[in-house]
Amino acid sequence: MNPITHALTGWCLAEAVPNTTHREKALITFAAMAPDLDGFGIFAELATRNTDTPLLWWTDYHHQLCHNLPFAALLALLAAAIARGHRLRAATLVFVAVHLHLIGDLAGSRGPDGYQWPIPYLFPFTKSVQLVWSGQWALNAWPNIALTVVLLAATAVLAWSRGESIVGLISRRADRAFVAALRARVPRRA
């Protein structure tokens, strides 16, 4: 799935739980995207693809290093250490956010060549447990687009009603401007 869709999934999860702090929302949203950190090998692979010894870091490691149970547990432990106040809640939501990412990838990450990304759930301990769904739709298929549109709409509704959006993770000032513009375009009815 698209990293933006993963981010919106994390944000909506964080917003679904009452009284989550700004820090917790940031941790949960990051966790929803974090498994794709193993995809950064694509830059080395593209840079070396026409050399005698290409680095196949994306081909070999994407959906390997960070798409698994140990990575989810590691992020949950880090969240518990970083969070303030509700450490168990933050750790649990981070763990859930990583798993929402995995579910999203299982559902909608098939490549244009038809390759289905299996997820080695217990890597690095074993590669024998591979999660895969035969109905996996293509990365650019309509269900991924529809899910992104629904999450964008939910994020806008939440921003309008709560006065805070995912934009605030980057800039609180930009978030205030975004929410103000949203509320000006869609005024509250009497």
Side-chain angles (χ1 to χ4, degrees):
M1 284 192 157
N2 185 309
I4 293 169
T5 307
H6 288 306
L8 293 171
T9 301
W11 179 259
C12 287
L13 171 65
E15 283 288 321
V17 177
N19 302 317
T20 51
T21 65
H22 184 75
R23 179 182 291 243
E24 290 170 336
K25 289 175 186 178
L27 290 169
I28 295 161
T29 303
F30 171 75
M33 298 182 304
D36 280 337
L37 289 172
D38 62 17
F40 278 108
I42 195 166
F43 298 113
E45 189 163 322
L46 290 174
T48 63
R49 69 180 169 202
N50 295 323
T51 66
D52 291 337
T53 54
L55 300 173
L56 301 177
W57 291 354
W58 187 75
T59 300
D60 291 343
Y61 299 115
H62 187 51
H63 280 217
Q64 295 284 326
L65 300 178
C66 301
H67 286 72
N68 52 57
L69 177 63
F71 184 74
L74 174 65
L75 282 187
L77 288 172
L78 288 172
I82 294 171
R84 295 183 184 143
H86 302 286
R87 294 178 188 275
L88 180 59
R89 176 179 68 187
T92 301
L93 291 171
V94 161
F95 189 80
V96 170
V98 171
H99 281 80
L100 285 175
H101 181 111
L102 300 181
I103 290 167
D105 281 356
L106 281 172
S109 290
R110 190 178 74 229
D113 58 356
Y115 180 71
Q116 293 181 338
W117 288 97
I119 294 178
Y121 192 62
L122 298 178
F123 181 85
F125 305 112
T126 180
K127 285 188 175 184
S128 64
V129 179
Q130 299 278 328
L131 304 179
V132 67
W133 177 49
S134 63
Q136 187 178 72
W137 57 76
L139 188 60
N140 63 348
W142 73 264
N144 278 349
I145 296 166
L147 178 60
T148 304
V149 168
V150 167
L151 289 168
L152 281 169
T155 300
V157 168
L158 289 166
W160 187 93
S161 65
R162 297 182 182 181
E164 181 181 21
S165 78
I166 193 169
V167 175
L169 297 179
I170 298 166
S171 165
R172 295 219 184 186
R173 183 176 176 199
D175 190 39
R176 287 190 298 273
F178 172 72
V179 171
L182 188 62
R183 287 177 171 172
R185 301 260 188 291
V186 184
R188 178 172 284 178
R189 305 228 184 252

